[in-house]
Every structure is written in structure tokens, then in C-alpha cells.
Amino acid sequence: MYVVIMAGGGGTRLWPLSRPDRPKPFLPLTGERTLLQLTVDRLVGHPELDGLSLSDIAVVTDRRYGALVRAQLGPVRIITEPVGRNTAAAIALATLTIDRPDDEVMVVLPADHRIDPEREGVFRSVIASAAANLAAGSPFGVADPLVTLGVQPTGPATEYGYLLPRYEAAERIGGLQAYPLQAFEEKPAPARARQLYESGGVAWNAGMFLWRRRAIRAALEKYTPLPMLLETSLGSELALNAAYDRIQPLSIDHAVMEGAARDHRVVMAALDVGWSDLGGWPALLDALGVRVEGGVVSPGQPAETTEDDLLVQSEGSGMVVRPAQAGTMTSERPVALLRGARDAQPLVQALLDRCAAAEARG
């Protein structure tokens, strides 16, 4: 088994913490270690994963962030893309670049998600069992399936994609609750999110996958032109740049998994480990023990504020947090509006200080 970690950009809902020059994976949002470092920490050197080592880890990242990955992880394999083209291109490049036996299981994980620290052992056990009993097996009569991990929803979220398993076909396999997957559904509108949540039998799409190398390669060749575009460009930076100029940004869900689900090639395993994608200020502060509402307000967009709210914004070369005033606010740059968070100002200030100190260290 080996692991491919996708450390891309994005994180615009966490402005001004997450920015193009230092996106979310490279920030110490929940403690002294960055999200990327924590992703590797929970994988390497644990008995549940048979002593998986740094040599079994590869990080796919935009060329701009290669030095950040090296500084934070040291001697790990780094696969750099000329420019981010979403997860399908990243996974295709890793599949073609990493020379491992075709029957080995590749685990694909995002670099910027949170797992409850008290349930990290459970997370590793799920990965180990899903690799051995699902990706390397023939669950539901599917040889070499594409496996995805689904998170039990806790509400009608619109910020996550959904997995729709064939709930009635569930089986207990290797200690995991597993299902043939019927369909993927992208981030829904509020009414559809509530319908999905209230219907039960659905899961959030955590963007975590397991498959044999030969299985994902065959799927990429069937559903996308990526292997044909990329294979002849390997080993030449100029050729890779030209290939990436021709690639349409697509998620692996759109490019491969939706078609594979229709062809009955996808299996889902349930994952209950306190997962969050820390995709916005409310999710981040919830992970730090504070419940707030709000988010990033775009430049020029009016927003009603009260004295119980906090504002987080960039100022000069740094970040500041201050109480809001009652009334209507507009700003020339994006600003994070945290509603009802005034009492959490020390915690937010500590978060800003921690991220600023990490950036100052390089």
C-alpha cells in the first residue's frame, strides 16, 4: 500500500488565513503542526498500517508549493504540477509517475482535512481494512473496485458533495459497513441538501479513495484522455507544461467516479472519525471548540453587523481581529465576519498569531 496526498490551493472561505501564496494545507490551523503535517503524522509509523513509512508517501502539489512541502515534510516524494487542474489531473499524474506494482493499493487523501485526534486509530483501521478487503478484494462481485469513503452527515450541508449508496445491499466486510455506490451528487442547493439528509442512507463525500493502481489506470483510460495526454510528457518539464495547458480542470468525481458508479464499479465504506474539511470559519472554529456563524464577505458587499461580531481582515503585511460595530459594513477587500464570536477574540487572535509565526519561519 502507498499513499498519495493532494496538497492543492483553494481555501478561499478561510481568507485571510488561507491565501494563494500559502493555502490551507500549509497552515497550523488546529495546533502547532500544519494540516499537511498532521495528515502525514496520522499515517506514518503506526501498527494499524503495518509501519507505513515516508517512502510510501507522495505529495502532489502545484509547482508553487513544492518548497513548502519540502520544508514541512523533509524527505518525502513530491510530484509537482505546472499548475493546479483539480483532482483528476493530480491523480492521473501520480498514477503514471509513481512506479509501484499494478496490484498494490493506492490510497488518495486530501492534505487539508481534520480527523478527531481521539479517533485517528479508527481512521487507520478503516484505511487498512478498506485496502485489504475492498480495494484488493472483490466486494459485491466487483473485481478491482474503486473505493470511496463516505462520512455520516450531521446536517443538511450544502458545502459537501454526497454519495448515494445502494443502502439495501449493505454488507459487513472486514469490519466495515460497505455498499455498492449508486451515484455521486455534487454540492446541492439548500432544499436538495435537506431532502438528502432527511432521506437517510446517504453520506458526505470526503474525497478519500482507495484502489489498485491498475484499477485507477484502467478507469482513467476509459473515462478520460488524461493518460494519453500525460504519458508522453513525463520527464520533460516543457512537455508537461504543454500537456497541462490542454487539460480541463475536473474533479476525479466528475471525470471518473460518476461514470464508474453508473457502471457498477464503485464501492463505498462508511467512515465515522469526526471528519471535517475545515472549509470555512465556522468549521474551523468548531474544531477549536467555538460555535459561530458567518464567513467571508466579498469586497463591496454590504453586511449587517452587531457589537457581538468579530471581523478578521488583512492589514498591511499581517492579519488583525477586532470587534465589529453595530450597523452596515462594507470593505474594499475580503473580510471574515464571525457572528456572535466576540467572546472568542482571544482564541481567534491566538490562531492568527500561530499562522503568522509559521509564515515568518518560512
Side-chain angles (χ1 to χ4, degrees):
M1 182 169 63
Y2 60 107
V3 181
V4 173
I5 297 172
M6 295 179 291
T12 55
R13 289 180 291 158
L14 280 173
W15 177 272
L17 283 173
S18 180
R19 305 182 307 281
D21 59 330
R22 188 174 290 254
K24 183 172 60 160
F26 307 106
L27 295 170
L29 297 182
T30 61
E32 295 305 315
R33 302 279 282 171
T34 69
L35 298 184
L36 173 61
Q37 289 171 325
L38 290 173
T39 299
V40 173
D41 290 347
R42 71 175 65 101
L43 295 169
V44 169
H46 298 281
E48 300 96 333
L49 295 176
D50 293 329
L52 198 78
S53 71
L54 273 181
S55 64
D56 299 308
I57 306 287
V59 178
V60 184
T61 193
D62 187 306
R63 188 175 290 155
R64 292 175 293 170
Y65 310 130
L68 277 173
V69 175
R70 179 68 66 211
Q72 293 190 6
L73 296 182
V76 70
R77 177 163 189 177
I78 303 172
I79 300 170
T80 57
E81 300 180 281
V83 64
R85 287 288 187 256
N86 213 321
T87 53
I91 289 168
L93 185 61
T95 302
L96 297 170
T97 302
I98 301 171
D99 186 16
R100 303 279 290 225
D102 276 352
D103 63 349
E104 276 201 27
V105 173
M106 175 199 294
V107 182
V108 177
L109 301 174
D112 57 357
H113 291 186
R114 178 185 183 271
I115 302 296
D116 181 348
E118 295 184 359
R119 296 187 62 76
E120 288 187 351
V122 175
F123 172 76
R124 288 188 287 272
S125 295
V126 169
I127 293 292
S129 184
N133 298 293
L134 298 180
S138 299
F140 308 103
V142 181
D144 287 347
L146 307 180
V147 180
T148 184
L149 303 182
V151 174
Q152 178 69 36
T154 57
T158 58
E159 63 268 30
Y160 303 137
Y162 284 74
L163 305 174
L164 282 60
R166 287 175 49 208
Y167 197 70
E168 73 285 353
E171 289 186 18
R172 196 80 177 167
I173 302 175
L176 303 175
Q177 196 71 7
Y179 312 81
L181 193 71
Q182 182 171 282
F184 286 75
E185 186 161 331
E186 281 302 299
K187 298 173 183 178
R192 176 58 176 163
R194 180 155 295 281
Q195 181 185 31
L196 287 167
Y197 177 65
E198 291 178 350
S199 71
V202 299
W204 284 336
N205 182 1
M208 300 182 186
F209 307 101
L210 303 93
W211 39 53
R212 280 181 158 150
R213 184 179 183 227
R214 67 183 179 220
I216 187 58
R217 176 154 186 165
L220 286 163
E221 290 174 349
K222 179 175 182 179
Y223 299 107
T224 80
L226 289 169
M228 183 176 62
L229 274 173
L230 291 175
E231 198 153 24
T232 57
S233 71
L234 299 182
S236 165
E237 185 173 318
L238 190 63
L240 189 61
N241 289 344
Y244 263 72
D245 285 342
R246 299 173 60 192
I247 292 174
Q248 179 184 0
L250 280 178
S251 70
I252 193 68
D253 304 321
H254 273 318
V256 170
M257 301 300 283
E258 291 174 359
R262 287 191 294 268
D263 291 339
H264 311 293
R265 304 292 308 165
V266 182
V267 172
M268 186 194 98
L271 182 70
D272 181 14
V273 291
W275 171 89
S276 170
D277 77 339
L278 302 178
W281 280 95
L284 172 57
L285 293 185
D286 183 54
L288 297 174
V290 177
R291 293 291 181 95
V292 303
E293 296 182 355
V296 177
V297 180
S298 299
Q301 177 184 343
E304 297 297 319
T305 59
T306 74
E307 293 178 352
D308 290 329
D309 301 336
L310 287 179
L311 300 177
V312 183
Q313 52 198 138
S314 59
E315 193 169 278
S317 60
M319 298 172 286
V320 297
V321 56
R322 58 171 59 98
Q325 297 180 347
T328 302
M329 162 212 96
T330 59
S331 174
E332 294 181 356
R333 13 176 128 177
V335 58
L337 171 58
L338 310 181
R339 300 192 181 280
R342 188 181 183 114
D343 290 344
Q345 184 169 355
L347 182 146
V348 176
Q349 185 63 61
L351 169 63
L352 300 184
D353 292 344
R354 186 164 67 242
C355 290
E359 291 191 51
R361 290 194 296 268

